[in-house]
C-alpha cells in the first residue's frame, strides 16, 4: 500500500496509507479520523484530478510519497452571543450526546454493516465498557497474543469515541485490527470487501475480549466476559437402544433458537435448541447408535444472548440460505422452565421477592411473612449460586428484559444488510443503521420477527432483572 502526505490548512499529515483495493471513500474516512472533516465535506486534489468517492485509483496515478492537498472544514461550534438561546449545536460534543440521548453512528467502510451492528449492541453493555476502560495500553499478561491485545485496545477506543461523539465515527482502526486478527473478515470479491456473518463477528470479538479481560487472582483468572455473557449448561446424554446414560457440562455465550415449522415463538425455539440428536459409537452395542442430548441451564449470565438459527448451508446453490419464518419474541423473557432443578431451587426466593416488589409497585397488599419464611430467605441469600461472586447482593431471577436486537434484511448471510436496534439508558430505542441513528417506538421493536423480506431478528440480547438481597 502506498503512503502519501496530506496537506490540510496548516497541518501536514505524513505516512498516510492508501489501500488501493478499497474505494476512495475508505481513504476519506481515514482522513476524517485524522482531521475531523467529514468525508462529504472533503475535497482532495491530486495530479489525476479531484478524488471522488468512486474514483478508480489506477487512473489517479497515486505514487509513493506523493503529497495531496485536502480542502474542507470541520463543523466547528460557534459561541452563541451573550444572553441568546443556547442551541444543542452550540454545546460541546459530550453535552450534545447527553442532549440527543444516544451515542454516535458508525460509517460503513464497505460492506461493514455486520461489524457496525455488532459493535453497537456490545457497546450498550456498561459493565463491558467499564472493564475495557480499566484495560491497560501495555496489555495484561505475556500469554496474550499481540493481535488480541490490539483488538481489545481498538474496541476500548472505539467505544470511547462512540460515547464522545454525536457525529458518525469512522471505525477504521478497529476494522483494520479485526481483519488482522481474523483474516476471514478481509475476504475480497471483485476488489471489494465481502459481506460477512454478524454472528461470527460477534462470537470472535467476545472470544478475544474473554482472553484479554481475565482478571489475575491468587486462586484463578476471573473471566469478565464469562461473568457477563456465560451460560452454564448441564446435559443428560442417553441412548434408548443400549440404556447408556452420562452427563456433560459446558459453558456457552449464547442460546440457540432453532426454527422449524413447529416453532412460532422464541420459547419454543429455545426448547428445540436445548435438545439434540447425536450419532456416536456405543461401547455396549459395539456400533454407532443414536443418543439424545437433553440440556438445561445451570448458571445464568447478566446478559442473555440468543441467536436465531436462520441460516443453513444450501448444497444446490453452495451458499448460506435463510429461513424467513416469523418467530415472535418478547420484551420480557422468563426462562425459569429451561433451568435445571438445582438452579430452579436457587431462583425460587429471588423470584418471590421480585413478585412481591412488583406487586407493591402495582399497589397490591401483600401477606405478612412468617418468621419461618424469613429464615428461609436468609438461608437462600447466603447460598452460593453459580452466577458469579458479584451477584451475592443483586440476585438473578431468571427474568430478562430486551435491550438490543441485531437484524438482517436479505436472503443470504453473506449479502443483505445488518442493523442494530439498541435500548438507551434513558429507555428510548434507537435504530443504528450504520451512520444513521433513528429513534424508534418500543412497540415496534418486537415486530422485527420475520415472515418476509423486511429486517428480522438474528440476535437478541436481554439484561437480567435482579433483586437486592
Amino acid at each position: 500500500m502506498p503512503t502519501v502526505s496530506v496537506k490540510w490548512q496548516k497541518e501536514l499529515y505524513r505516512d498516510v496509507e492508501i489501500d488501493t483495493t478499497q474505494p476512495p471513500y475508505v481513504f476519506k474516512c481515514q482522513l476524517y479520523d485524522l482531521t475531523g472533516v467529514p468525508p462529504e465535506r472533503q475535497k482532495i486534489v491530486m495530479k489525476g484530478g479531484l478524488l471522488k468517492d468512486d474514483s478508480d485509483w489506477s487512473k489517479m496515478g497515486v505514487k509513493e510519497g506523493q503529497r495531496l492537498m485536502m480542502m474542507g472544514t470541520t463543523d466547528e461550534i460557534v459561541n452563541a452571543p451573550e444572553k441568546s438561546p443556547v442551541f444543542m449545536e452550540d454545546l460541546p460534543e459530550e453535552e450534545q450526546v447527553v442532549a440527543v440521548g444516544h451515542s454516535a453512528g458508525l460509517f460503513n467502510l464497505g460492506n461493514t454493516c455486520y461489524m457496525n451492528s455488532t459493535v453497537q449492541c456490545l457497546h450498550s453493555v456498561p459493565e463491558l465498557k467499564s472493564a475495557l476502560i480499566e484495560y491497560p495500553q501495555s496489555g495484561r499478561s505475556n500469554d496474550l497474543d499481540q493481535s488480541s491485545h490490539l483488538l481489545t485496545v481498538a474496541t476500548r477506543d472505539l467505544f470511547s469515541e462512540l460515547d464522545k461523539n454525536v457525529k458518525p465515527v469512522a471505525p477504521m482502526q478497529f476494522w483494520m485490527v479485526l481483519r488482522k486478527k481474523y483474516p476471514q473478515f478481509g475476504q475480497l470479491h471483485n476488489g471489494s470487501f465481502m459481506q460477512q456473518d454478524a454472528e461470527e463477528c460477534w462470537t470472535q470479538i467476545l472470544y478475544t475480549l474473554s482472553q484479554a479481560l481475565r482478571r489475575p487472582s491468587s486462586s484463578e483468572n476471573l473471566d469478565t466476559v464469562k461473568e457477563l455473557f456465560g451460560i452454564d449448561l448441564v446435559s443428560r446424554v442417553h441412548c434408548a437402544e443400549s440404556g447408556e446414560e452420562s452427563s456433560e457440562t459446558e459453558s456457552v455465550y449464547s442460546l440457540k433458537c432453532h426454527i422449524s415449522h413447529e416453532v412460532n415463538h422464541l420459547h419454543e425455539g429455545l426448547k428445540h435448541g436445548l435438545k439434540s440428536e447425536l450419532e456416536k459409537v456405543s461401547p455396549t452395542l459395539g456400533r454407532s447408535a443414536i443418543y439424545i442430548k437433553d440440556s438445561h441451564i445451570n448458571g445464568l449470565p447478566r446478559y442473555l444472548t440468543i441467536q436465531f438459527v436462520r441460516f443453513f448451508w444450501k448444497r444446490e446453490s453452495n451458499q448460506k440460505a435463510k429461513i424467513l419464518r416469523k418467530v415472535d419474541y418478547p420484551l420480557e423473557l422468563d426462562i425459569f422452565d429451561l433451568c435445571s432443578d438445582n438452579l430452579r431451587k436457587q431462583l425460587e426466593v429471588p423470584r418471590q421477592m421480585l413478585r412481591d416488589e412488583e406487586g407493591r409497585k402495582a399497589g397490591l397488599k401483600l401477606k405478612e411473612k412468617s418468621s419461618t419464611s424469613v429464615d428461609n430467605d436468609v438461608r437462600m441469600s447466603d447460598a452460593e449460586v453459580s452466577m458469579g461472586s458479584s451477584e451475592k447482593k443483586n440476585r438473578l431471577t431468571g427474568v430478562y428484559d430486551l435491550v438490543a436486537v441485531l437484524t438482517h434484511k436479505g436472503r443470504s448471510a453473506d449479502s443483505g444488510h445488518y442493523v442494530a436496534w439498541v435500548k438507551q439508558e434513558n429507555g428510548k430505542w434507537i435504530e443504528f443503521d450504520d451512520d444513521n441513528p433513528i429513534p424508534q417506538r418500543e412497540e415496534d421493536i418486537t415486530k422485527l420477527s420475520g415472515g418476509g423480506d423486511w429486517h428480522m431478528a438474528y440476535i437478541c440480547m436481554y439484561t437480567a432483572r435482579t433483586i437486592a438481597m
Side-chain angles (χ1 to χ4, degrees), residues 231-236 248-249 274 294-300 335-348 385-387:
I231 306 160
D232 292 330
L233 297 177
V234 59
S235 306
R236 172 177 172 256
E248 296 178 358
T249 59
L274 289 171
D294 201 2
S295 303
H296 287 87
I297 300 167
N298 204 40
L300 292 171
I335 58 166
F336 182 75
D337 64 323
L338 304 179
C339 298
S340 65
D341 290 341
N342 181 47
L343 183 54
R344 287 188 199 186
K345 288 176 184 175
Q346 296 169 352
L347 291 173
E348 281 174 1
V385 184
S386 59
M387 299 175 189

Side-chain angles (χ1 to χ4, degrees), residues 49-213:
L50 196 65
L51 184 67
K52 298 179 180 178
D53 290 352
D54 57 353
S55 293
D56 185 343
W57 283 115
S58 63
K59 295 177 182 176
M60 299 304 293
V62 62
K63 295 179 181 176
E64 177 67 31
Q66 186 175 341
R67 178 180 290 196
L68 313 183
M69 178 75 71
M70 188 182 89
M71 294 174 283
T73 57
T74 58
D75 289 327
E76 294 179 354
I77 297 168
V78 180
N79 292 329
E82 197 174 345
K83 293 184 181 181
S84 68
V86 178
F87 296 99
M88 189 179 70
E89 292 81 1
D90 299 321
L91 295 171
E93 283 269 339
E94 289 83 353
E95 292 181 37
Q96 286 187 41
V97 172
V98 176
V100 169
H102 61 79
S103 51
L106 289 163
F107 280 115
N108 191 317
L109 305 178
N111 285 332
T112 58
C113 59
Y114 71 91
M115 179 187 79
N116 290 350
S117 53
T118 296
V119 167
Q120 292 289 8
C121 290
L122 294 177
H123 172 252
S124 71
V125 178
E127 296 93 336
L128 185 59
K129 284 196 277 190
S130 298
L132 283 165
I133 288 170
E134 295 174 8
Y135 183 78
Q137 190 76 26
S138 58
R140 250 327 125 112
S141 59
N142 294 328
D143 58 350
L144 185 70
D145 65 279
Q146 182 69 2
S147 59
S148 294
H149 167 64
L150 291 175
L151 182 55
T152 305
V153 170
T155 306
R156 180 196 67 192
D157 293 347
L158 181 54
F159 280 11
S160 175
E161 282 293 303
L162 288 173
D163 284 331
K164 290 190 297 186
N165 287 281
V166 172
K167 297 169 200 160
V169 171
M172 182 60 65
Q173 182 63 27
F174 179 85
W175 187 42
M176 290 172 66
V177 176
L178 179 68
R179 282 183 289 154
K180 188 169 184 180
K181 173 66 182 172
Y182 298 108
Q184 71 191 79
F185 299 121
Q187 290 175 318
L188 295 170
H189 179 67
N190 294 333
S192 297
F193 283 103
M194 294 171 61
Q195 177 70 285
Q196 299 290 337
D197 188 334
E199 190 273 333
E200 291 179 10
C201 182
W202 183 301
T203 300
Q204 301 288 39
I205 291 171
L206 271 194
Y207 175 76
T208 300
L209 296 182
S210 74
Q211 301 301 303
L213 299 179

Side-chain angles (χ1 to χ4, degrees), residues 166-317:
V166 172
K167 297 169 200 160
V169 171
M172 182 60 65
Q173 182 63 27
F174 179 85
W175 187 42
M176 290 172 66
V177 176
L178 179 68
R179 282 183 289 154
K180 188 169 184 180
K181 173 66 182 172
Y182 298 108
Q184 71 191 79
F185 299 121
Q187 290 175 318
L188 295 170
H189 179 67
N190 294 333
S192 297
F193 283 103
M194 294 171 61
Q195 177 70 285
Q196 299 290 337
D197 188 334
E199 190 273 333
E200 291 179 10
C201 182
W202 183 301
T203 300
Q204 301 288 39
I205 291 171
L206 271 194
Y207 175 76
T208 300
L209 296 182
S210 74
Q211 301 301 303
L213 299 179
R214 292 183 190 275
R215 296 197 299 275
S217 166
S218 55
S219 57
E220 59 177 334
N221 281 342
L222 296 174
D223 187 340
T224 301
V225 172
K226 185 180 186 305
E227 283 184 16
L228 293 176
F229 302 99
I231 306 160
D232 292 330
L233 297 177
V234 59
S235 306
R236 172 177 172 256
V237 183
H238 60 102
C239 176
E241 191 179 358
S242 68
E244 294 167 297
E245 186 173 311
S246 62
S247 63
E248 296 178 358
T249 59
E250 61 182 315
S251 185
V252 296
Y253 287 148
S254 66
L255 293 180
K256 307 296 183 187
C257 174
H258 282 260
I259 302 173
S260 69
H261 65 280
E262 302 169 349
V263 173
N264 297 304
H265 192 274
L266 172 61
H267 224 95
E268 297 166 332
L270 290 176
K271 285 182 179 178
H272 279 264
L274 289 171
K275 199 163 189 173
S276 58
E277 199 175 81
L278 310 169
E279 184 178 349
K280 60 178 185 176
V281 174
S282 163
T284 304
L285 300 173
R287 56 173 171 79
S288 291
I290 300 298
Y291 288 75
I292 301 298
K293 183 178 180 180
D294 201 2
S295 303
H296 287 87
I297 300 167
N298 204 40
L300 292 171
R302 262 180 259 178
Y303 291 87
L304 180 67
T305 305
I306 295 166
Q307 180 208 350
F308 291 79
V309 185
R310 289 200 171 274
F311 298 108
F312 66 97
W313 192 257
K314 205 169 185 178
R315 290 180 182 174
E316 309 92 81
S317 56

Side-chain angles (χ1 to χ4, degrees), residues 350 353-354 357 393-397 465-469:
M353 292 180 69
L354 179 66
E357 184 182 87
K393 292 181 181 177
N394 286 327
R395 293 281 296 279
L396 303 184
T397 61
R465 197 179 296 180
T466 59
I467 190 79
M469 290 182 68

